[in-house]
């Protein structure tokens, strides 16, 4: 909680007016040695060297690679005197702080803040030097029990810096360098008390929320006459607790708890502290309980929030801007709102990225998105025997947990990414996988500072090997990189996938219009953006192509050569279909899976990256597939072979559900050969499974498993409809013969409708339309890449893109349709 609020009685401002200069490594020992250099450039702080180069139009692969080979200097002058403190929230990575030519501090961690007491006159020069990191990495001790191939070089394990820029094959080059977090000048107001530390604990049990607050005052501060904590209409006076400490506990019976948005409301409450006549905002807090569900066999992993089992689904965060490493609400909000818009209730911050600032957690609190937070430790054989390294990690986790004390969104702290997996895959014995950081330091910090969250030693971990799917936490790529059939999602018996389903997701047409990269799949610039594992003979476009071939029965190489537009359309359709069908398996009531997160949320650069959102912020087809797969009120179909189709109805909401399930089998995409319906009533947060045979009431080979004759239908559609309003809550489809590649006249129709400033598009088809795509360069469809049964109109809200003008004008297509239909507000 110490970083949620500034200390009482202080004025905090960002220090600006910075300029930047690059020199050869060790060319200048002190700022005085820079007098002969005149090529200083204006620089944004917070920001990075790469960000400055981009703003100057000079960022390319060569200049990015050179960043780590150079020293980088930043300087500014105080516009007015400062008697207080300077705080440097993030310096990447080996850095020096100079004040009027005197070195005042050094830092070797981009994850540790540096704070200095200063008494400076106006005009005092503040200089920062970021020493060339590449030579230091090369000179670092090389001896290790294993060496990962994904992150290079091996010397990176000795430095507390992000792996971003050091992962060839999927991450742009350029070592993170510069003051990427704010530099703050902090001044105390005369005659006011200073709060040195804040310790905040919240809990929720038996309908009662409790907040315990402890304050440590500055050594020279006098105790206030009164100290009152207030929250949600309740208040309590803090009492003196030892020297220079105040403490109090407030109980709030009947308080509304915080839930992930899929299962309830993410309710937050303002917390304030009044010291005499001064009121200090301590931020917004939430009350929730959290338990880990290991399953009946004790080998699983799942989360129970406020007594409610939660299926965790979402994606792994990369970075809002990998060039600048920017933080702040305005930077995070577009991405996180899209995550919520897709129904995600968890975001994982993997150990190969960087820590995000307080605004990230505040937004996740508001949006009802749980956070799986990993320590920035990944793949390497870290020097855990080194006392200095252990102390650094201990300080890092304490800072992280202290500044997130009031955030209910933080649900999991994980030791890091693929450390156990990497060691196991490279042949190290089980006793080498872990170590004191993961076994002692991190769990102790969680127990002391955030006992209300779960601790996971590493992702993946659990089972005879860290990465097995049927025990503990896994990284699941049976469907995906390992190119197994879609039925592997059930066969693998996944318990919890902290990452899964990575594909080279083709951006939408609007994203490719810029020409960067060119929309030609054999072009080197296109392939440069396609992720690959270092040393592999394949990339993730090959993975996607394999599933395109399986789903549609076409040769991808021939298709992209002869009909590139259709290749792109089917590529987009493929990933949406695979993701939706895989999550249908995992979310069915009989599944052992308690959560799965997709790799990744957003791309790190333009092109067909892993992200389900393009680097320009445009959702891809995968995002739309996930938005359907993640619905809190859901209907899914699973193929049970000779047992027919199972219809799984899921209601995660706190309200009861009264609905009608409608089932239709279509021949030739337009003739209903079987129709059935059933009323269903589900209590809050419950699910049920129905047999299609039971709904139909007679034998019909609905899954085409018996094959006594030619198939009677090509597609089955199922609709979950609200009993009272008739609103379609969810739809599901099954293709007993596969999706196929034949195209027919679907007789698509599109009608624009306007209500005030909002536009919607009403679509219909006379023949089953498969993977319907709406293309509008000024307006983004709220939902896209969906199937549409005959006689079931679909209303799609259109959202104007930033910077676009004019009214909606576009085209509607379907991957199985010969015809297309245009729409325009002028028609």
């Amino acid at each position: 909680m110490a970083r949620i609020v500034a200390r009482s009685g202080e004025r905090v401002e960002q220090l600006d007016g910075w300029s930047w200069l690059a020199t050869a490594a060790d060319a200048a020992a002190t700022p005085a040695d820079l007098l002969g250099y005149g090529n200083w450039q204006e620089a944004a702080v917070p920001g990075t060297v790469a960000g400055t180069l981009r703003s100057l139009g000079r960022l390319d692969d060569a200049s990015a690679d050179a960043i780590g080979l150079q020293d980088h200097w930043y300087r500014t002058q105080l516009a007015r005197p400062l008697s207080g403190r300077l705080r440097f929230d993030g310096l990447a990575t080996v850095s020096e702080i100079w004040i009027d030519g005197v070195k005042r501090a050094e830092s070797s961690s981009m994850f540790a803040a540096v704070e200095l007491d200063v008494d400076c006159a106006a005009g005092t020069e503040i200089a920062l030097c970021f020493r060339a990191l590449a030579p230091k990495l090369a000179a670092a001790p090389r001896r290790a029990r294993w060496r990962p191939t994904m992150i290079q070089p091996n010397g990176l394990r000795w430095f507390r810096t992000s792996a971003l820029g050091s992962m060839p094959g999927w991450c742009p080059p350029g070592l993170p360098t510069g003051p990427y977090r704010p530099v703050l000048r902090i001044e105390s107001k005369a005659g006011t008390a200073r709060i040195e530390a804040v310790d905040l604990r919240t809990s929720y049990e038996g309908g009662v929320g409790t907040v315990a607050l402890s304050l440590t005052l500055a050594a020279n501060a006098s105790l206030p006459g009164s100290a009152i904590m207030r929250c949600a209409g309740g208040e309590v006076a803090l009492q003196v607790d030892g020297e220079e400490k105040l403490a109090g506990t407030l109980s709030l019976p009947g308080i509304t708890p915080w839930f992930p948005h899929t299962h309830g409301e993410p309710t937050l409450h303002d917390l304030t502290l009044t010291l005499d006549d001064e009121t200090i905002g301590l931020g917004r807090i939430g009350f929730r309980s959290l338990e880990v569900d290991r399953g009946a066999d004790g080998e699983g992993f799942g989360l129970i929030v406020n007594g409610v089992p939660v299926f965790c689904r979402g994606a792994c965060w990369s970075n809002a801007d990998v060039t600048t490493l920017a933080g702040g609400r305005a930077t995070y909000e577009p991405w996180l709102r899209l995550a919520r818009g897709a129904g995600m209730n968890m975001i994982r911050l993997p150990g190969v990225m960087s820590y995000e600032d307080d605004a990230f957690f505040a937004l996740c609190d508001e949006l009802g998105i749980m956070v799986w937070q990993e320590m920035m430790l990944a793949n390497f054989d870290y020097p855990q025997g080194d006392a200095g390294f252990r102390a650094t990690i201990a300080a890092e986790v304490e800072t992280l947990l202290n500044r997130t004390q009031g955030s209910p969104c933080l649900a999991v702290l994980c030791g890091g990414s693929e450390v156990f997996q990497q060691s196991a895959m490279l042949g190290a014995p089980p006793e080498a996988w872990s170590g004191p950081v993961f076994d002692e330091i991190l769990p102790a910090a969680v127990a002391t500072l955030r006992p209300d969250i779960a601790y996971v030693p590493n992702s993946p971990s659990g089972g005879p090997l860290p990465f097995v799917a049927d025990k503990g936490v896994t990284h699941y790529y049976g469907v995906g990189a390992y190119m197994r059939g879609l039925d592997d999602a059930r066969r693998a018996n996944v318990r919890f996938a902290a990452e899964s389903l990575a594909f080279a997701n083709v951006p939408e047409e609007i994203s490719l219009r810029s020409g960067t990269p060119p929309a030609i799949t054999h072009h080197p610039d296109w392939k440069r953006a396609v992720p690959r594992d270092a040393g592999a003979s394949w990339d993730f476009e090959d993975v996607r192509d394999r599933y395109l071939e399986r789903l549609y029965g076409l040769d991808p190489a021939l298709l992209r050569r002869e009909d590139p537009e259709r290749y792109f359309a089917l590529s987009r359709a493929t990933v949406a279909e695979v993701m939706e069908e895989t999550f249908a398996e995992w979310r069915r009531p009989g599944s052992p899976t308690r959560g799965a997160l997709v790799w990744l949320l957003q791309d790190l650069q333009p092109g067909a990256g892993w992200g389900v959102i393009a680097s320009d912020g445009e959702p891809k087809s995968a995002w739309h597939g996930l938005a359907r797969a993640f619905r809190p009120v859901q209907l899914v179909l699973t193929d049970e072979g000779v047992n027919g189709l199972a219809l799984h109805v899921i209601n995660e909401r706190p309200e009861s559900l009264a609905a009608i399930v409608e089932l239709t089998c279509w021949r030739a995409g337009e003739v209903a050969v079987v129709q059935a319906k059933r009323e269903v009533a589900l209590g809050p947060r419950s699910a049920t499974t129905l047999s299609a045979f039971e709904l139909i009431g007679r034998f019909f080979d609905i899954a085409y498993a018996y094959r006594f004759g030619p198939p009677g239908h090509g597609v089955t559609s199922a609709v979950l409809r609200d009993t009272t309003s008739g609103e379609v809550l969810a739809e599901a489809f099954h293709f007993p013969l596969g999706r196929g590649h034949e195209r027919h006249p679907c007789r698509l129709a599109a009608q624009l409708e306007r209500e005030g400033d909002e536009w919607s598009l009403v679509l219909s088809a006379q023949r089953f339309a498969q993977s319907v795509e709406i293309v509008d360069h000024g307006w983004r469809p709220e939902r896209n890449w969906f199937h549409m049964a005959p006689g079931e109109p679909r209303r799609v809200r259109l959202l104007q893109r930033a910077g676009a003008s004019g009214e909606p004008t576009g085209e509607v297509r379907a991957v199985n349709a010969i015809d297309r239909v245009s729409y325009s507000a002028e028609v």
Side-chain angles (χ1 to χ4, degrees):
M1 189 62 167
R3 293 290 295 132
I4 291 178
V5 61
R7 293 173 182 172
S8 169
E10 292 182 334
R11 180 171 61 188
V12 180
E13 296 177 357
Q14 288 197 33
L15 194 60
D16 54 17
W18 293 89
S19 54
W20 159 82
L21 173 72
T23 72
D26 298 324
T30 73
D33 298 331
L34 300 172
L35 293 178
Y37 292 85
N39 193 29
W40 289 87
Q41 302 287 336
E42 182 180 349
V45 175
T48 61
V49 172
T52 297
L53 289 171
R54 186 174 67 183
S55 68
L56 295 172
R58 291 164 41 191
L59 183 62
D60 54 24
D61 283 358
S63 63
D65 284 333
I67 290 173
L69 300 170
Q70 301 168 314
D71 285 352
H72 299 274
W73 290 84
Y74 285 74
R75 70 182 184 189
T76 189
Q77 290 185 332
L78 294 178
R80 64 179 190 276
L82 172 60
S83 180
R85 289 172 293 130
L86 281 172
R87 181 180 174 92
F88 305 84
D89 267 349
L91 303 173
T93 291
V94 176
S95 56
E96 302 163 359
I97 301 171
W98 298 76
I99 299 179
D100 258 355
V102 178
K103 186 194 295 185
R104 290 287 306 275
E106 295 180 329
S107 174
S108 58
S109 172
M110 71 177 285
F111 307 130
V114 179
E115 195 168 287
L116 300 174
D117 290 322
V118 297
D119 191 358
C120 300
T124 296
E125 181 181 81
I126 312 298
L128 304 173
C129 180
F130 297 88
R131 297 297 181 183
L133 187 58
K136 300 180 187 300
L137 295 175
R142 298 186 178 185
R143 184 180 180 89
R145 292 172 295 177
W146 67 86
R147 293 188 181 187
T149 57
M150 187 183 82
I151 311 175
Q152 295 291 335
N154 195 49
L156 200 71
R157 68 196 181 102
W158 289 95
F159 294 85
R160 294 308 298 141
T161 192
S162 173
L164 292 168
S166 300
M167 296 176 285
W170 63 274
C171 179
L175 295 173
T177 305
Y180 75 104
R181 288 288 181 257
V183 177
L184 304 173
R185 54 177 293 154
I186 305 171
E187 299 172 273
S188 297
K189 300 175 186 176
T192 56
R194 279 174 47 184
I195 300 173
E196 287 292 341
V198 177
D199 185 73
L200 173 69
R201 309 297 174 90
T202 62
S203 63
Y204 182 73
E205 185 176 358
V208 179
T210 303
V211 53
L213 181 65
S214 176
L215 308 177
T216 301
L217 302 181
N220 60 351
S222 59
L223 290 171
S226 66
I228 307 295
M229 172 174 55
R230 293 184 175 90
C231 183
E235 65 177 52
V236 68
L238 305 189
Q239 304 298 321
V240 177
D241 181 19
E243 295 183 2
E244 300 161 351
K245 283 194 174 183
L246 297 171
T249 299
L250 176 62
S251 293
L252 298 164
I255 192 76
T256 303
W258 184 95
F259 270 102
H261 74 96
T262 50
H263 289 68
E265 292 300 321
T267 304
L268 298 172
H269 309 273
D270 291 325
L271 180 66
T272 63
L273 171 67
T274 301
L275 298 178
D276 294 330
D277 58 353
E278 180 189 12
T279 298
I280 305 164
L282 295 180
R284 305 178 74 197
I285 62 172
F287 298 92
R288 58 129 183 88
S289 65
L290 187 142
E291 303 167 73
V292 175
D293 178 12
R294 300 291 180 186
D297 61 358
E299 301 282 1
F301 182 85
L303 296 183
I304 300 174
V305 179
N306 303 326
V308 178
V310 173
F311 184 92
C312 302
R313 65 276 200 166
C316 300
W317 178 266
S318 55
N319 201 277
D321 187 337
V322 71
T323 301
T324 65
L325 302 182
R329 186 181 182 94
T331 301
Y332 299 134
E333 189 164 10
W335 303 103
L336 291 175
R337 288 204 176 275
L338 283 173
R340 171 165 170 151
M344 299 182 186
N345 64 17
M346 177 172 275
I347 293 289
R348 172 177 169 238
L349 278 63
V352 294
M353 306 300 180
S354 61
Y355 299 109
E356 302 300 346
D357 68 24
D358 298 349
F360 182 91
F361 292 93
L363 274 163
C364 289
D365 287 341
E366 294 174 23
L367 297 173
I369 300 174
M370 296 180 292
V371 174
W372 174 300
Q373 172 71 65
E374 289 183 4
M375 299 299 295
M376 295 303 124
L377 298 165
N379 295 73
F380 288 114
D381 178 18
Y382 288 99
Q384 297 186 59
D386 181 84
F389 179 82
R390 295 196 303 272
T392 297
I393 299 302
E396 202 170 289
V397 69
E398 287 171 11
T399 298
L400 172 68
L401 295 179
N402 275 329
R403 70 182 178 89
T404 56
Q405 282 180 7
S407 290
C409 70
L410 182 59
V412 176
L413 181 82
C414 178
S417 175
E418 297 189 349
V419 176
F420 295 9
Q421 171 176 298
Q422 190 75 81
S423 57
M425 280 193 163
L426 294 180
E431 58 268 22
W433 300 347
S434 192
V437 165
F438 307 112
D439 296 340
E440 302 167 17
I441 293 172
L442 298 178
V446 170
T448 301
L449 299 173
R450 285 298 304 260
D452 63 323
I453 67 174
Y455 175 69
V456 174
N458 224 254
S459 181
S461 60
L465 290 170
F467 42 83
V468 296
D470 62 351
K471 290 180 173 60
V473 173
T474 190
H475 290 180
Y476 174 76
Y477 293 112
V479 176
Y482 308 149
M483 294 188 280
R484 298 180 64 82
L486 298 185
D487 58 349
D488 190 73
R490 181 179 294 196
R491 182 181 296 114
N493 207 35
V494 175
R495 307 299 286 270
F496 192 104
E499 63 182 65
S500 62
L501 300 179
F503 295 93
N505 295 313
V506 177
E508 294 295 277
E509 187 174 298
I510 181 67
S511 299
L512 296 180
R513 290 187 74 198
S514 67
T516 306
I520 305 171
T521 57
H522 67 271
H523 194 285
D525 287 346
W526 175 272
K527 276 297 185 183
R528 177 179 177 274
V530 173
R532 65 192 63 83
D533 286 337
S537 60
W538 50 270
D539 61 28
F540 281 81
E541 193 151 66
D542 297 325
V543 173
R544 188 193 67 232
D545 282 353
R546 178 66 179 128
Y547 287 94
L548 187 157
E549 183 178 14
R550 280 181 172 169
L551 264 60
Y552 300 99
L554 291 168
D555 179 352
L558 188 63
L559 181 63
R560 65 173 174 257
R561 175 178 178 175
E562 296 182 350
D563 194 346
E565 182 184 283
R566 182 155 175 76
Y567 170 74
F568 277 141
L570 288 176
S571 294
R572 295 178 182 117
T574 294
V575 293
E577 292 287 273
V578 169
M579 290 189 178
E580 191 170 2
E581 186 160 328
T582 302
F583 272 97
E585 282 289 352
W586 288 340
R587 290 191 67 194
R588 61 188 172 85
S591 169
T593 310
R594 293 296 172 261
L597 310 175
V598 171
W599 184 266
L600 289 161
L601 180 67
Q602 69 270 72
D603 282 340
L604 290 165
Q605 58 187 330
W610 279 317
V612 301
I613 307 172
S615 61
D616 62 359
E618 183 72 20
K620 301 184 190 179
S621 61
W623 182 92
H624 292 283
L626 293 175
R628 294 190 295 274
F630 290 169
R631 290 176 290 216
V633 176
Q634 178 68 312
L635 170 67
V636 299
L637 296 176
T638 56
D639 190 331
E640 305 299 326
V642 294
N643 295 323
L645 296 185
L647 296 87
H648 310 282
V649 184
I650 303 165
N651 176 32
E652 293 179 331
R653 304 302 297 170
E655 302 84 21
S656 296
L657 173 69
I660 299 172
V661 174
E662 300 173 354
L663 185 73
T664 307
C665 299
W666 302 92
R667 179 186 299 141
E670 54 187 345
V671 179
V673 293
V674 169
Q675 290 182 300
K677 64 173 60 178
R678 168 76 61 86
E679 290 187 358
V680 292
L682 271 70
R685 298 168 179 143
S686 63
T688 190
T689 296
L690 306 173
S691 165
F693 288 154
E694 186 179 2
L695 259 70
I696 296 170
R698 61 180 177 83
F699 174 71
F700 180 77
D701 196 0
I702 193 167
Y704 198 49
Y706 293 87
R707 298 177 184 265
F708 293 150
H713 67 301
V715 62
T716 297
S717 65
V719 176
L720 183 67
R721 198 182 303 274
D722 183 84
T723 302
T724 303
S725 67
E727 176 190 359
V728 173
L729 304 174
E731 291 177 297
F733 299 87
H734 178 256
F735 302 87
L737 310 177
R739 286 156 181 80
H741 58 264
E742 292 185 359
R743 287 186 280 183
H744 310 273
C746 290
R747 297 179 290 282
L748 299 168
Q751 179 65 47
L752 274 172
E753 293 186 358
R754 182 174 187 173
E755 185 174 344
D757 293 332
E758 294 194 356
W759 289 90
S760 295
L761 190 63
V762 179
L763 305 178
S764 62
Q766 295 182 35
R767 183 186 181 116
F768 175 77
Q770 189 175 328
S771 296
V772 175
E773 175 191 10
I774 301 169
V775 181
D776 190 319
H777 295 145
W779 296 70
R780 175 173 69 84
E782 191 172 42
R783 293 290 180 257
N784 214 355
W785 296 101
F786 50 81
H787 304 317
M788 196 160 57
E792 189 67 57
R794 178 71 61 91
R795 179 182 295 273
V796 180
R797 186 178 170 215
L798 301 177
L799 309 172
Q800 191 166 28
R801 293 186 174 92
S805 59
E807 297 175 330
T809 301
E811 187 175 72
V812 180
R813 311 164 184 169
V815 297
N816 70 329
I818 295 173
D819 52 317
R820 301 179 175 189
V821 60
S822 298
Y823 63 86
S824 173
E826 299 176 357
V827 176

